[in-house]
Amino acid sequence: ASLLFGILAEKMQRTTMLCSLTSRMLSTIRVPGALLVGHIPALRPSSFQMRGMAFMKNPKESHNPLKKELQHPSKFVENKRRLQRRDFILVHQYEEQREQFINEIAMPMQEKRLLTVSPDLGIVFTNYDLIWFKLQELYRFEGGNESLLSEEIEDFGRYLPRGHELVGCCFQDPGAAKEPTELQAVADGLHTLLLTFQGQEVACEPVTGFLHDDHGMFQVYVRWTLTEEQSEALRSSSDAMLKLAEKKGGMLAETSIPSRTLEEIVTDL
């Protein structure tokens, strides 16, 4: 009974964090420098029923991707390690099937990539599809502003895994009672997130400093760089974990990486 209660409690904690994260993502306004987790521009709470964008299987068939089979953006582009203007679509094309994309691709993918590291610290492993979605939403919100999209494509290219890499957006929801000391320490290099698997250990490096938007969302982007051998070991791992540790060596928190999350994130390697 106690084991079952523990499993249910962990599931409820994960669901609560996802709902909080999703609510923030769908209701806040974009601030320069922050990423997907905290702010998709100005959408109403009813956005849980929204969807998004359909991609055709063969992009050479037509320049209009509507009314084709739904695809992940990364399946539609030549290079998922790089953001390019030609990989984004016109606002009116995106609008027609936006709800479907959000419901069937963006939200399920984000949920799989979400981990609770500690009561105050969560992480979403980012990839091409989630960053594409963030920028396509921004492009829509700004009414098709080409110059802004070009600037953000260059900026957000830093958050793409570039091969044998994982990139994560660490965050603390503004609803948390504590100050974001853990997150600040990660940004300052005093704490690190250790990716452990099959007896190996890979520490992250901050990609950004400490980010804080007007709505109270705290974020830091981090990157893990693996060797080819480590990538292969992680793909076949059954004991992968993420650990929050002091650089001096003290362990602060840890969480196992569920198999469905691992199966999702190893595709970034």
Side-chain angles (χ1 to χ4, degrees):
S2 60
L3 176 61
L4 178 60
F5 178 78
I7 294 172
L8 290 175
E10 181 178 351
K11 185 176 181 62
M12 288 178 66
Q13 182 184 36
R14 180 182 177 87
T15 301
T16 299
M17 176 168 279
L18 177 66
C19 290
S20 175
L21 174 63
T22 301
S23 176
R24 296 291 300 169
M25 189 180 76
L26 293 176
S27 64
T28 57
I29 296 178
R30 176 243 174 223
V31 179
L35 189 99
L36 168 75
V37 204
H39 48 78
I40 295 294
L43 305 179
R44 294 201 274 217
S46 59
S47 303
F48 282 105
Q49 303 178 14
M50 301 175 312
R51 306 184 175 178
M53 154 68 201
F55 292 85
M56 53 187 176
K57 277 191 170 180
N58 182 2
K60 295 181 180 179
E61 292 178 10
S62 167
H63 291 295
N64 183 356
L66 299 178
K67 301 181 180 178
K68 303 289 182 178
E69 186 173 345
L70 192 69
Q71 294 285 302
H72 289 68
S74 57
K75 304 293 185 182
F76 185 68
V77 301
E78 296 177 0
N79 184 2
K80 67 177 184 178
R81 308 293 186 196
R82 180 184 175 194
L83 296 169
Q84 300 183 75
R85 171 61 189 89
R86 64 186 179 185
D87 298 332
F88 294 85
I89 63 169
L90 298 176
V91 172
H92 74 274
Q93 293 177 329
Y94 177 63
E95 193 70 41
E96 290 194 22
Q97 295 195 25
R98 173 173 174 263
E99 293 184 11
Q100 186 180 6
F101 179 79
I102 294 175
N103 247 15
E104 297 182 15
I105 291 183
M107 290 312 207
M109 178 177 289
Q110 178 167 276
E111 198 276 336
K112 288 179 185 177
R113 289 171 167 267
L114 171 67
L115 284 181
T116 303
V117 182
S118 76
D120 298 312
L121 184 67
I123 185 169
V124 171
F125 290 95
T126 66
N127 66 350
Y128 181 94
D129 295 314
L130 293 180
I131 293 175
W132 182 97
F133 171 57
K134 193 281 180 219
L135 293 187
Q136 187 69 57
E137 281 287 315
L138 174 62
Y139 185 50
R140 169 186 177 270
F141 179 71
E142 296 290 345
N145 186 322
E146 289 290 335
S147 61
L148 180 60
L149 179 61
S150 297
E151 292 175 9
E152 296 296 347
I153 285 174
E154 182 175 352
D155 185 30
F156 278 85
R158 297 182 296 159
Y159 307 136
L160 289 177
R162 300 169 299 193
H164 300 300
E165 290 182 346
L166 296 175
V167 178
C169 179
C170 307
F171 67 93
Q172 178 174 308
D173 192 272
K178 296 181 180 179
E179 291 296 314
T181 52
E182 291 178 352
L183 206 58
Q184 182 72 66
V186 171
D188 294 342
L190 301 176
H191 292 174
T192 188
L193 285 164
L194 299 174
L195 179 64
T196 67
F197 53 94
Q198 295 194 16
Q200 303 193 56
E201 186 176 274
V202 181
C204 72
E205 292 295 333
V207 179
T208 66
F210 184 68
L211 305 174
H212 178 201
D213 68 27
D214 293 340
H215 299 274
M217 178 66 76
F218 302 98
Q219 303 174 64
V220 176
Y221 285 90
V222 298
R223 185 187 306 273
W224 293 266
T225 301
L226 287 70
T227 65
E228 185 173 349
E229 292 75 18
Q230 287 173 330
S231 294
E232 288 303 316
L234 181 59
R235 289 188 181 98
S236 59
S237 175
S238 60
D239 63 350
M241 299 187 72
L242 204 57
K243 301 180 179 181
L244 178 65
E246 297 176 330
K247 279 291 183 72
K248 296 180 293 185
M251 199 64 60
L252 301 173
E254 62 181 40
T255 185
S256 297
I257 301 179
S259 57
R260 70 169 192 161
T261 300
L262 186 61
E263 289 171 4
E264 176 72 26
I265 66 177
V266 295
T267 61
D268 301 339
L269 300 173

